[in-house]
Amino acid sequence: MSEPSAPPLAEAALPEAPWSGPAGEVAGALAVDPQRGLDAREVEERRARFGGNELHGTARPPAWRRFLAQFADPLVYLLLVAVVISFAAWWIEGAEGAPVDVIVILAILVLNAVLGFVQENKAEDAVAALADMTAAGATVLRDGRLATVEATDLVPGDVLVLSEGDSVGADARLMEATSLQVQESALTGESAAVTKAVDPVDADASIGDRTGMVFKGTAVVSGVGRAVVTATGMRTEMGRIATMLDETESEPSPLDREISRISRMLGIAVVAIAVVVMAAMILVNGARSLEELVEVLLLGVSLAVAAVPEGLPAILSVVLAIGVRKLAAHNAVMKQLHSVETLGSASVIASDKTGTLTRNEMTLTEIVTASGRVVLTGTGYSPDGTAEVEGGDDAADEARRVLTGGVRANNAQLDRASGEGDREWTIQGDPTEAAFLVAQHKLDGVAERVRRYRREGEVPFSSERKMMSVLDRSESDERRIFSKGAPDVLLERCTSLQVGGATRPLTPEDRARQEDLVAELSSQGYRTLAVAWREADPDRDGFDDGAEHDLTYLGMVGIVDPPRDEAKAALAEAHRAGIRTVMITGDHPATASRIAGDLGIVESTPARAVTGRELDALDDAALSDVARAVSVYARVAPEHKLRLVDALQADGQIVAMTGDGVNDAPALKSSDIGVAMGITGTEVTKQAATMILADDNYATIVRAVRQGRVIFDNIKKFLRYLLSSNMGEVCTIFFGVLLGTWLGLKDPTDPTTAVVPLLATQILWVNLVTDSGPALAMGVDPEIDDVMARRPRRPDERIIDRHMWSRILFIGLVMAAVTLAVFDACLPGGLFTVLADGVPADQQLAVARTTAFTTLVFAQLFNALNSRSDTGSAFHRMFSNPWLWASFAFVTVAQVLVVEVPFLQVAFGTASLDAGHWALAIGASAVVLIAEEIVKAVRRARAAS
């Protein structure tokens, strides 16, 4: 019966201390019918009044503050000091003309800040979108129907339907509670779960004593219940401590730490080199004026700023964010950006069978009873199908009893939506339970029997009990208990057997026969469940597991869940990538062995399947041996998963573990990559996991591993590119100063003065145009090398190892050599002058420097092609990344403008080039590509021999 009508909530305040009053009064004060919940109009009105169910975190800093934060870098501070000194020198010397160096450097600093600001905004937007993807859900009663909504959509008066594994979405007053226990450590600090009840408590009771309430951010660990929402958002108890949560800082990932270490190391090294360069220039040329001293200082500071890729963290965040968004588009939602680093290193995938390796389209096709069996046709969740009875009327009657008990001991919901075919039928709840709801329509008379009962009590299913029971009352006022669970568990509680319309004692022979039937169905790949019943004790008050005794065994059902079509290919791909797959299931060992053989998880069939009981008998040393050798585990409880994770990790494996139940959460948290099921997974497992599978599909895990490896490869690509390009700039200036006299790098108008190949503004320009665009483009590079053809990356393997450092130094030296060679070739006093003739003497230095400057820019573009693969030719899939070529086009146009536009010539100290100088610059820069192609070819030849 529905609650008495109440005034609209808009006319009443939210109830104070709702735990102190009867649940019915609280529901009345909230103007909600507990049997129907709110309707859509009421939900919208209440959301408009009370706002969304969200905690208000620390406000995002305004855009201007985030933009100014881009200048908060020690190297930028150095450059700003140099700008001040340069401006002071310009002012002291008469302030003639415009302070070009000051203007150019400030303009480059602003452009760099704009690029960093845009990149960080993209990363933050991607993380915000990721938070939306992983938003918690809640089951509510609206318009008399169960619905799953985002927790942020809850409003006061919503009726929450709680079950094991749910995350409580808002503070709520319990109206029903059956064996309900809630973990409230996030609020109270107490590790033990709290047993809940509907009885009121004192108004001044502490949070831990408010047993009639459930609170936002807590987790249901067992039992079921219904509650009416009394507070949302910042009005909740969790909202009161939101400030504490805002102050929590996340730890940097190993990848972040290594990037920071590299940046610090480069910063120290380059500052030392810059000091050497400045000292060498002063020793060679002296400092004959304040202007010359400022030029030396600007060059040294610019070299330090350009050589350290200060934008690297922002680029890294953007690349990771883009990669994570791409993973999400393929149904793999990573909750944290840096988890991608671990994903590509996975060496073991420990996967559930149901729904992950199989379709999770549970279809009940066999009913086996004492008198025979009934075979049901049809697949999926559409209730279309027929029943073929083998065993006469008694078998049909027994089958009706089995389905009736299975439907009554059930919390799933079958809905019909708009659409065609099987897709018009959807389920809420456990797919195995939904299989009973579908089957009842295929055997005449079952649905009518089911409707005769209404529920009065429930002992919920749990992974430890492996069964559930309900107490129902019929239209004729008969009270009956229906139980459903694993056959071996249920048989232990049965003392009689249903045969036709009568019962008889359950004999040892009957038990043995049922065990044989379980083995037979399991060997055929069926999941088996048994159903039992008995009349309830008339003089017993309440209902708990103490009533689960002296049951009458009705029979068992066989539920088929066929392997996913793509699973076998995905398993083969994982094997090729050096990843071992371990299948874990609660099913019968014969079922597990059959599925594992069909999928190719094991080579020989029947495969050895180790059970949970066998695991219990093993010590840690023996378990380690078993974990190393066995890939199939059956009748396994969640605590066994945790032991398996620990054993595999102790063996040096990087473990990805899947889970969906609340008790899977410890194993998911302990594993290197916890994978929660997005469809069947509980909110608790989703919170504990690293990754959520939107489609509950094993093949998605393998695709995610592939994408994780591609993302990690791309990180190495742009690191290789940035560091080797910056090494080229450092080496060019360093060796240009140290070897300038020997090379004949002299000012044609003043042969006593040695010159440097690049000006400070030119170095900063190279850093600006070549670092961001190509590096970001490589961050979204498609797969170039076959990433699944190699074994997983070792956890202790450096991102930049000794081999990569040697390649970075090699490319840097080649880049410096061709740049200095071009500079030398364009000066009249060089070792092998070829293009100095015909250029006016007062223009020769500017033309030579511009040609060298242009050579370095194009050398870095060729280096980007090199960096796409450590071993493969740059010509392999050369045009597969349009973003990279777009960045090349931008850099080329920008460089032409800097060289040929008059006012930019003044700003950057460049001069127009003729066709010969352009050809020399581009041709010489291609040497970087040729040299690396030769090195790669030699490596491939050695690897093949």
Side-chain angles (χ1 to χ4, degrees):
M1 178 177 287
S2 63
E3 295 287 328
S5 60
L9 187 59
E11 300 175 10
L14 293 176
E16 295 184 8
W19 54 88
S20 64
E25 291 183 7
V26 174
L30 289 164
V32 61
D33 178 355
Q35 304 304 318
R36 289 194 54 80
L38 301 174
D39 61 32
R41 179 184 57 81
E42 290 171 323
V43 170
E44 290 304 318
E45 288 177 355
R46 297 185 185 203
R47 185 177 296 115
R49 181 182 180 201
F50 296 104
N53 181 30
E54 297 171 299
L55 300 182
H56 301 160
T58 303
R60 190 181 184 187
W64 66 267
R65 186 172 294 173
R66 285 182 281 121
F67 177 74
L68 290 180
Q70 303 301 316
F71 297 94
D73 184 280
L75 293 173
V76 175
Y77 297 156
L78 274 177
L79 205 53
L80 288 173
V81 169
V83 165
V84 171
I85 295 173
S86 181
F87 181 82
W90 169 79
W91 184 267
I92 291 170
E93 293 180 356
E96 295 181 2
V100 175
D101 285 348
V102 173
I103 294 171
V104 170
I105 295 172
L106 287 176
I108 289 175
L109 279 175
V110 170
L111 281 174
N112 256 325
V114 169
L115 285 173
F117 177 76
V118 170
Q119 288 166 1
E120 287 189 6
N121 272 357
K122 284 184 177 179
E124 289 178 7
D125 290 345
V127 171
L130 186 63
D132 292 339
M133 294 176 199
T134 57
T139 302
V140 296
L141 188 66
R142 287 182 179 173
D143 287 321
R145 304 288 296 174
L146 292 179
T148 300
V149 301
E150 289 188 7
T152 53
D153 289 337
L154 294 175
V155 296
D158 258 326
V159 176
L160 289 177
V161 180
L162 303 170
S163 58
E164 179 181 317
D166 285 349
S167 177
V168 181
D171 289 5
R173 176 66 166 92
L174 282 167
M175 297 182 292
E176 299 175 15
T178 303
S179 303
L180 185 66
Q181 290 193 313
V182 179
Q183 177 58 258
E184 297 182 342
S185 58
L187 282 174
T188 65
E190 295 293 332
S191 59
V194 178
T195 300
K196 295 294 183 176
V198 299
D199 300 327
V201 296
D202 292 339
D204 58 356
S206 64
I207 292 176
D209 294 329
R210 296 173 193 171
T211 53
M213 293 287 294
V214 289
F215 301 102
K216 179 181 177 65
T218 61
V220 179
V221 296
S222 65
V224 295
R226 292 197 177 196
V228 59
V229 173
T230 57
T232 57
M234 297 303 290
R235 300 178 186 87
T236 63
E237 295 296 333
M238 189 63 77
R240 297 183 183 183
I241 61 172
T243 304
M244 294 168 56
L245 297 176
D246 292 336
E247 294 172 356
T248 302
E249 296 183 2
S250 57
E251 289 291 320
S253 71
L255 182 59
D256 292 329
R257 286 196 294 269
E258 183 158 358
I259 295 299
S260 298
R261 183 185 63 83
I262 292 169
S263 296
R264 285 195 304 271
M265 183 182 69
L266 283 176
I268 294 170
V270 171
V271 167
I273 291 173
V275 170
V276 171
V277 167
M278 289 188 289
M281 289 179 64
I282 293 173
L283 287 174
V284 172
N285 292 335
R288 290 168 290 189
S289 66
L290 178 61
E291 183 181 4
E292 289 183 359
L293 185 60
V294 169
E295 286 180 3
V296 171
L297 176 64
L298 279 178
L299 181 68
V301 172
S302 301
L303 179 62
V305 171
V308 178
E310 67 278 356
L312 202 154
I315 294 174
L316 178 64
S317 296
V318 172
V319 169
L320 286 173
I322 292 171
V324 167
R325 292 292 297 275
K326 192 175 293 185
L327 280 170
H330 290 88
N331 296 317
V333 182
M334 301 295 296
K335 293 173 62 178
Q336 297 172 328
L337 295 183
H338 63 74
S339 299
V340 175
E341 174 190 3
T342 311
L343 184 62
S345 304
S347 58
V348 173
I349 299 175
S351 173
D352 284 325
K353 174 184 74 67
T354 303
T356 310
L357 293 167
T358 57
R359 296 178 188 172
N360 203 24
E361 295 178 354
M362 297 294 192
T363 305
L364 196 159
T365 60
E366 295 261 356
I367 307 172
V368 183
T369 64
S371 301
R373 66 177 65 200
V374 174
V375 178
L376 303 179
T377 64
T379 58
Y381 298 127
S382 173
D384 298 326
T386 60
E388 300 174 5
V389 181
E390 301 173 9
D393 292 342
D394 281 349
D397 183 62
E398 293 161 6
R400 291 187 184 94
R401 293 175 185 270
V402 169
L403 290 182
T404 300
V407 172
R408 293 307 308 169
N410 201 306
N411 286 319
Q413 177 177 296
L414 181 68
D415 293 319
R416 187 168 193 168
S418 59
E420 297 181 359
D422 287 349
R423 291 184 180 274
E424 67 175 312
W425 293 93
T426 60
I427 65 165
Q428 295 278 348
D430 185 84
T432 303
E433 294 194 337
F436 281 92
L437 302 183
V438 175
Q440 69 173 317
H441 298 287
K442 299 178 183 180
L443 185 60
D444 293 339
V446 177
E448 291 78 6
R449 292 191 184 196
V450 168
R451 285 194 289 269
R452 295 174 189 167
Y453 296 94
R454 58 184 174 85
R455 183 177 298 186
E456 290 191 342
E458 176 184 351
V459 182
F461 174 88
S462 74
S463 54
E464 290 81 16
R465 286 168 28 84
K466 292 186 171 61
M467 65 174 291
M468 73 171 292
S469 298
V470 297
L471 174 63
D472 281 359
R473 186 182 294 273
S474 70
E475 294 172 342
S476 57
D477 213 32
E478 297 172 319
R479 296 170 75 237
R480 289 180 173 173
I481 296 170
F482 294 103
S483 299
K484 175 178 94 272
D488 54 340
V489 172
L490 213 57
L491 278 168
E492 291 177 357
R493 300 172 186 260
C494 292
T495 56
S496 58
L497 176 69
Q498 187 80 36
V499 182
T503 62
R504 64 171 174 79
L506 187 66
T507 65
E509 290 77 15
D510 293 328
R511 295 180 187 275
R513 182 171 179 271
Q514 295 306 315
E515 291 171 359
D516 290 341
L517 287 170
V518 169
E520 176 191 335
L521 290 174
S522 298
S523 66
Q524 297 171 15
Y526 285 101
R527 181 176 186 178
T528 56
L529 283 176
V531 180
W533 78 286
R534 77 174 178 89
E535 299 288 349
D537 300 325
D539 56 349
R540 180 184 175 96
D541 294 329
F543 183 63
D544 54 31
D545 57 1
E548 296 172 329
H549 61 84
D550 296 328
L551 299 174
T552 297
Y553 187 83
L554 296 175
M556 79 177 74
V557 299
I559 300 175
V560 65
D561 183 18
R564 291 182 181 267
D565 296 334
E566 65 273 27
K568 192 167 186 176
L571 283 158
E573 181 75 348
H575 180 73
R576 188 172 73 89
I579 302 171
R580 175 187 167 208
T581 300
V582 173
M583 189 178 83
I584 301 174
T585 178
D587 284 346
H588 191 278
T591 304
S593 179
R594 172 67 181 271
I595 296 293
D598 290 346
L599 290 172
I601 292 175
V602 292
E603 296 180 0
S604 59
T605 54
R608 180 189 176 191
V610 174
T611 66
R613 287 183 179 178
E614 292 176 86
L615 292 176
D616 286 334
L618 300 175
D619 59 21
D620 290 345
L623 177 62
S624 180
D625 293 336
V626 168
R628 194 178 298 119
V630 178
S631 296
V632 184
Y633 298 88
R635 287 287 191 259
V636 170
E639 58 267 23
H640 297 130
K641 285 187 174 184
L642 182 58
R643 286 194 71 199
L644 282 170
V645 168
D646 292 341
L648 289 166
Q649 288 176 323
D651 195 37
Q653 305 297 326
I654 302 297
V655 182
M657 169 66 77
T658 70
D660 55 6
V662 61
N663 289 329
D664 289 333
L668 264 61
K669 291 195 78 170
S670 180
S671 66
D672 300 282
I673 308 161
V675 183
M677 302 297 104
I679 299 174
T680 60
T682 61
E683 291 299 327
V684 173
T685 53
K686 291 176 186 177
Q687 290 178 8
T690 307
M691 180 170 76
I692 299 172
L693 295 184
D695 58 0
D696 291 10
N697 192 343
Y698 173 88
T700 300
I701 303 175
V702 178
R703 282 196 297 268
V705 170
R706 174 187 284 274
Q707 189 62 37
R709 291 188 178 190
V710 171
I711 293 169
F712 195 79
D713 270 13
N714 288 347
I715 291 172
K716 294 190 72 170
K717 288 176 190 179
F718 73 69
L719 282 174
R720 188 186 301 122
Y721 166 72
L722 286 175
L723 296 178
S724 57
S725 294
N726 289 358
M727 185 68 73
E729 297 167 26
V730 171
C731 290
T732 297
I733 298 298
F734 183 71
F735 291 110
V737 170
L738 293 186
L739 305 178
T741 303
W742 177 75
L743 291 173
L745 305 181
K746 302 286 187 179
D747 186 345
T749 61
D750 183 6
T752 64
T753 304
V755 293
V756 290
L758 300 173
L759 298 175
T761 52
Q762 292 170 350
I763 295 173
L764 293 174
W765 172 259
V766 174
N767 193 54
L768 175 69
V769 299
T770 64
D771 270 13
S772 297
L776 278 173
M778 274 187 281
V780 295
D781 213 28
E783 184 178 346
I784 303 300
D785 300 324
D786 186 357
V787 297
M788 301 299 271
R790 58 176 182 256
R791 299 194 63 79
R793 172 178 170 264
R794 296 192 314 275
D796 59 348
E797 182 181 328
R798 289 267 187 207
I799 299 172
I800 306 178
D801 55 18
R802 185 176 299 176
H803 165 72
M804 188 167 167
W805 277 120
S806 66
R807 298 286 286 279
I808 289 170
L809 181 58
F810 171 73
I811 290 298
L813 290 172
V814 172
M815 206 177 290
V818 296
T819 303
L820 290 174
V822 166
F823 189 46
D824 179 86
C826 296
L827 287 175
L831 289 179
F832 45 94
T833 301
V834 292
L835 283 178
D837 295 340
V839 178
D842 61 342
Q843 289 291 307
Q844 285 178 337
L845 178 58
V847 169
R849 187 173 277 149
T850 303
T851 310
F853 170 41
T854 304
T855 300
L856 185 60
V857 169
F858 282 105
Q860 296 199 6
L861 298 187
F862 282 116
N863 184 37
L865 294 176
N866 286 336
S867 300
R868 296 181 71 202
S869 174
D870 188 43
T871 57
S873 170
F875 298 98
H876 174 61
R877 302 197 66 193
M878 191 174 189
F879 299 101
S880 60
N881 187 350
W883 293 107
L884 186 62
W885 289 97
S887 70
F888 286 1
F890 170 78
V891 172
T892 301
V893 170
Q895 185 63 20
V896 170
L897 292 176
V898 164
V899 170
E900 302 296 342
V901 174
F903 80 88
L904 292 177
Q905 289 176 342
V906 174
F908 290 93
T910 58
S912 295
L913 301 180
D914 58 26
H917 287 89
W918 276 108
L920 176 62
I922 297 172
S925 61
V927 172
V928 173
L929 175 64
I930 296 168
E932 184 70 355
E933 283 292 296
I934 293 171
V935 171
K936 289 179 181 179
V938 171
R939 289 195 69 203
R940 290 195 298 270
R942 286 179 177 174
S945 60

